[in-house]
Amino acid sequence: MISIITLISVILLMLGSFFFIAGSIGLNRLPDVYTRLHATTKCDTLGQSLILLGVMMYEGMTFTSLKILIIAGFLLIANPTGAHALAKGAYLSGVIPCENTEPDEYRDLCAEVDDDLAA
Amino acid sequence: MMPGIWQAAILVIAALILAAMIRLFAGPTAPDRVVALDTVNTLTIASMILLGVIYRQLIFVDVAIVYALLSFVGTLYIAKYIGGEL
């Protein structure tokens, strides 16, 4: 006999694994570093949160569950921050986006700032 | 109650770590490798928590907290270094 809590936690675990698999496919198949970052960051953040939520529901109301909640909340803040810094660092180091990336707003913004400084 | 499915999830996560390692070795530029490393860190935290809760080794959860903090700081430093801001 499977309790309803275990069933919900297993469903959350499978959903999280699905998002992890989608993120890894995106990491290996997309053309340049910005699209790879886009795929892995969103899929990994959501998959991590779902898996940790499933483990919390399996564990119940204990102190360990509180620790897992702290990790999940921290990763929800930290993962997008790291991805943002990484994208900016990749752009500043001179990695060119693939040719389908048409509106390059950061380049236009930099050109505008340079024009303002020159004037 | 469904004892094998947690171990199966850990096996899936281990296979995904190997898939991210392909990009880590084959990535053409340095930011590609850092993206793959960040993915490996995230997957490692998830597998640590799963292992710790399933096998009742609750010290793994504490280790996962420290690992998450250190991997975040490491990613930020590498990103700043790649961008030439450090």
Side-chain angles (χ1 to χ4, degrees):
Chain A
M1 183 61 200
I2 296 167
S3 67
I4 193 82
I5 296 289
T6 309
L7 193 65
I8 292 174
S9 66
V10 166
I11 288 172
L12 284 173
L13 182 76
M14 291 172 83
L15 270 178
S17 300
F18 167 73
F19 278 108
F20 270 157
I21 290 170
S24 282
I25 290 173
L27 178 66
N28 276 310
R29 293 287 300 163
L30 286 174
D32 68 341
V33 61
Y34 306 103
T35 48
R36 282 173 200 147
L37 195 58
H38 150 89
T40 57
T41 301
K42 282 192 280 198
C43 289
D44 280 359
T45 307
L46 188 56
Q48 178 108 32
S49 306
L50 288 176
I51 284 184
L52 263 54
L53 202 63
V55 173
M56 274 173 62
M57 294 200 68
Y58 179 74
E59 178 74 15
M61 296 281 287
T62 60
F63 192 61
T64 308
S65 171
L66 180 66
K67 283 180 192 168
I68 296 172
L69 182 66
I70 288 172
I71 295 179
F74 173 71
L75 280 169
L76 274 180
I77 301 170
N79 231 340
T81 310
H84 185 92
L86 197 52
K88 194 182 170 197
Y91 198 94
L92 288 179
S93 80
V95 177
I96 300 168
C98 68
E99 64 268 13
N100 291 332
T101 312
E102 190 38 53
D104 194 348
E105 289 187 350
Y106 192 61
R107 183 188 59 203
D108 299 343
L109 188 68
C110 288
E112 229 170 75
V113 170
D114 284 347
D115 287 347
D116 286 350
L117 287 179
Chain B
M1 35 181 150
M2 285 203 239
I5 197 159
W6 303 91
Q7 282 87 347
I10 293 170
L11 279 180
V12 167
I13 289 175
L16 293 180
I17 287 176
L18 283 180
M21 285 294 222
I22 295 174
R23 179 56 66 192
L24 184 65
F25 281 109
T29 62
D32 282 313
R33 296 174 207 268
V34 184
V35 172
L37 183 69
D38 201 26
T39 308
V40 170
N41 282 333
T42 310
L43 292 167
T44 308
I45 293 164
S47 68
M48 254 186 213
I49 289 169
L50 278 173
L51 279 171
V53 170
I54 293 159
Y55 293 114
R56 314 304 303 165
Q57 298 287 323
L58 297 181
I59 191 76
F60 279 16
V61 180
D62 300 339
V63 176
I65 293 176
V66 180
Y67 193 91
L69 290 165
L70 285 180
S71 75
F72 171 57
V73 174
T75 306
L76 274 187
Y77 264 90
I78 294 172
K80 289 288 178 191
Y81 176 70
I82 282 176
E85 302 175 59
L86 203 67

